[in-house]
Amino acid sequence: NAGVTQTPKFRVLKTGQSMTLLCAQDMNHEYMYWYRQDPGMGLRLIHYSVGEGTTAKGEVPDGYNVSRLKKQNFLLGLESAAPSQTSVYFCASSSSYTRAGDPYEQYFGPGTRLTVT
Amino acid sequence: GNSVTQMEGPVTLSEEAFLTINCTYTATGYPSLFWYVQYPGEGLQLLLKATKADDKGSNKGFEATYRKETTSFHLEKGSVQVSDSAVYFCALKNNQGGKLIFGQGTELSVKP
């Protein structure tokens, strides 16, 4: 099992350019999430999905779009990148049911470091 | 709303020192509580968890007890190692869906 994988690992964009970050998981998880991590602010939820074909806004959704066309993939898009979107982006996934004593552990990918100049 | 507050970092300790990282939370209902660890250049990994009051989570020598009366979930380890150097995140989840609320993270540096 590869767990949660993210591509690319690093990217530099110019202001106004667009890009898509890809997240893939092989654990058959229903829930998937995109976070951004900024110094001193912990992780903040951008968008999430509770199943194939569904998405919802998190805490900081502005400037991002997402799609979940297949259960194993969750795409994060930046249509017109801005310097404020310079960050490290993490994808995570979790199951939707509670196994005995297991409260929906989230599994994280290794992250994508994005710089917007 | 729900929130998590952690002690400010960075925390610098000598090897074999005792570690405490404070975490307090605000939440409605009865959340589950977590500590995640992020080693340099990697994603987050679940370190330990507790799902109800007075539960103690433990893993790799780390412990944390869910204290409802003080709304706290402090992380402790009796003797830290250089390999424990990482950023530690406290988080909570209300038992509705899977969304986590994270604290800001505390960087730990352990010197030999």
Side-chain angles (χ1 to χ4, degrees):
Chain A
N1 280 354
V4 180
T5 58
Q6 293 182 232
T7 52
K9 288 185 168 52
F10 302 94
R11 186 73 186 267
V12 178
L13 288 179
K14 293 189 187 321
T15 297
Q17 287 184 320
S18 64
M19 76 164 294
T20 299
L21 283 66
L22 172 63
C23 175
Q25 53 94 4
D26 61 3
M27 296 172 281
N28 201 33
H29 284 164
E30 288 79 10
Y31 291 177
M32 295 187 75
Y33 315 83
W34 275 108
Y35 295 91
R36 60 178 289 171
Q37 182 181 25
D38 302 292
M41 302 188 75
L43 275 75
R44 294 180 292 169
L45 184 64
I46 304 171
H47 286 280
Y48 65 101
S49 168
V50 299
E52 183 178 322
T54 72
T55 63
K57 294 181 180 180
E59 182 185 353
V60 288
D62 293 343
Y64 305 95
N65 56 74
V66 288
S67 63
R68 183 107 181 263
L69 298 179
K70 294 183 179 180
K71 186 177 183 179
Q72 64 268 33
N73 295 338
F74 194 30
L75 279 63
L76 178 71
L78 287 72
E79 289 188 347
S80 180
S84 61
Q85 294 178 303
T86 294
S87 187
V88 181
Y89 292 87
F90 288 100
C91 177
S93 70
S94 67
S95 64
S96 65
Y97 56 89
T98 302
R99 295 184 291 277
D102 185 336
Y104 306 171
E105 175 179 348
Q106 288 192 15
Y107 295 81
F108 283 79
T112 295
R113 185 173 295 277
L114 174 66
T115 302
V116 183
T117 61
Chain B
N2 299 332
S3 65
V4 176
T5 302
Q6 293 180 231
M7 65 186 284
E8 297 257 345
V11 174
T12 302
L13 295 174
S14 298
E15 207 164 20
E16 299 184 3
F18 184 85
L19 168 71
T20 300
I21 300 178
N22 290 340
C23 171
T24 57
Y25 68 89
T26 302
T28 55
Y30 302 95
S32 299
L33 300 173
F34 306 81
W35 278 100
Y36 278 80
V37 59
Q38 183 182 29
Y39 297 104
E42 298 183 10
L44 278 70
Q45 304 172 25
L46 181 64
L47 180 60
L48 53 83
K49 62 193 177 196
T51 61
K52 60 184 187 298
D54 299 326
D55 267 3
K56 177 185 283 189
S58 60
N59 186 26
K60 299 182 181 181
F62 291 89
E63 293 183 340
T65 301
Y66 187 164
R67 301 283 188 205
K68 188 165 173 55
E69 63 277 11
T70 54
T71 62
S72 66
F73 192 54
H74 304 323
L75 182 68
E76 296 182 336
K77 187 175 185 183
S79 176
V80 294
Q81 306 300 312
V82 172
S83 58
D84 294 327
S85 298
V87 181
Y88 293 81
F89 293 91
C90 185
L92 71 81
K93 185 191 73 63
N94 273 323
N95 291 320
Q96 298 166 357
K99 290 185 288 181
L100 286 171
I101 307 296
F102 286 91
Q104 72 271 35
T106 301
E107 182 180 358
L108 170 66
S109 177
V110 181
K111 306 297 185 188

